[in-house]
Amino acid sequence: MNKNYVVPWGKRGSVLAAPEISVLTELVEGGQPLSMGTWRDRFERAFADLVGSRHAISVTSGTVALELAIEMLDLQAGDEVIATPQTYQATVQPLLDYGVRVRFCDIEPGTLNLDPAVLESLITARTRAVLLVHYGGCPAEMDQIMSVARRHGITVLEDCAHAQGAKYRGRRPGSLADIATFSFQNAKNITTLGEGGMITFDRDDWAERLDRLRSNEVDAEIDQQYWTGVDEPVVLPWMKYSASVYTDRVRRLRRAGTNATMSEAAAAVGLVQLDRLEEVERARRSIAARIDEVLGRYSFVTPQSAPAHSEHSYHLYTCFAQTQELRDQLLLSLDRRGVQIELRYFPQHLLPEWRHQGHGPGECPVAERLWFEQHLNLPCHPGLTGSQVDYLADALDHSLAELNGSPSPRFSVA
């Protein structure tokens, strides 16, 4: 049903304005390449420097970033991967293609992140990797998770789609695990014209493999200087291939490559967006502070609690009602007053494709209870005007007061 909301969920997660238009004009009028040019290189270097990683490889979407990052895990049929159930489907969906067993790890009730206390109980001799997300921009307890992973020789992949702008013990997500992925999709805290992704890590061998994969070349183990029998290789300046096509031999083929090259326009906008990240985060945190202030007056709804040593990026503002009845009543009350609500995300282990793999209810009881009974997301994005934020705070206060049995006289429906 179409409805005009006073406080909409948000068509964009970031702000695009004159700086982005200026850089696009420069690119179009400058006659520079629109693919595989200097803007992509600059964006990757700036992103790696910001995150604190050795390498940053840009691709066409956050989903592609996850697909290619998972390829670096070198999973084999029969391996096991531990994953969070509280995330968007793109985090775990690529695992369906590998013939691996996925063990969903329940979450912490306060953060919705993978619970380190549960993690170790799921590890077996076949466990190869852990996939987690910093839900809503609230950093997971990475020190504990990495400690468990290191003891067992397990690779950790952090999905940072929500975490651009967050910090964990002074460090940024994207440098907290073995490999990480980011999304610059339209709704994320920064965007590269609607779609885009980044993979960050430190290993030089992964940099070579990922660059080949995104550039339509095969991911393979290659023996160099292996002569093919051609006496005088023909190599001319205008040919795409070098002499290596005659001398290299593929010893082991992992997978075919694809074209996942981020366009120069997307990279140019991404570079400008990095400069505006602090501005966008201030706006999100200001809105979150207003909501915190309202919720602080009531005991039956509590906000998602980031660890004291972390900084939340507020990609999502999440809170929890004490009961399902209260949650549902609050949702309906806010919708009636013109505040658009969207709940994110449905527990992955209950989706049809994962039920087909043998998963089902009862596997992650905390995630299930919170989603079906308590979980609530409120609008929190930099596109909201000051008057819309005021309206959101008043509507929330009025709705909570009603549920508390003491309606607020300060609110009137616009």
Side-chain angles (χ1 to χ4, degrees), residues 116 119 132 134 140-151 168-169 171 176 309:
L119 171 62
L132 60 89
H134 303 291
E141 278 290 4
M142 295 302 297
D143 282 357
Q144 297 177 41
I145 291 168
M146 294 305 295
S147 176
V148 172
R150 291 291 177 260
R151 282 201 303 274
Y168 177 80
R169 299 188 185 276
R171 299 170 60 198
L176 304 175
H309 45 263

Side-chain angles (χ1 to χ4, degrees), residues 12-67:
R12 294 179 181 175
S14 186
V15 175
L16 297 170
E20 288 80 8
I21 294 172
S22 176
V23 76
L24 287 172
T25 301
E26 178 185 342
L27 175 64
V28 172
E29 293 181 348
Q32 304 169 41
L34 297 178
S35 179
M36 300 177 66
T38 59
W39 285 104
R40 185 184 72 171
D41 294 342
R42 291 168 60 190
F43 181 38
E44 290 176 346
R45 186 67 263 152
F47 198 91
D49 289 345
L50 177 70
V51 167
S53 64
R54 182 175 174 84
H55 299 286
I57 296 288
S58 63
V59 290
T60 47
S61 74
T63 298
V64 170
L66 282 159
E67 291 171 351

Side-chain angles (χ1 to χ4, degrees), residues 73-76 78-82 124-130 152-156:
L73 304 179
D74 292 326
L75 298 173
Q76 304 296 320
D79 287 345
E80 295 184 1
V81 177
I82 298 172
T124 73
R126 301 199 66 87
T127 305
R128 297 292 176 265
V130 174
H152 295 274
I154 296 169
T155 304
V156 179

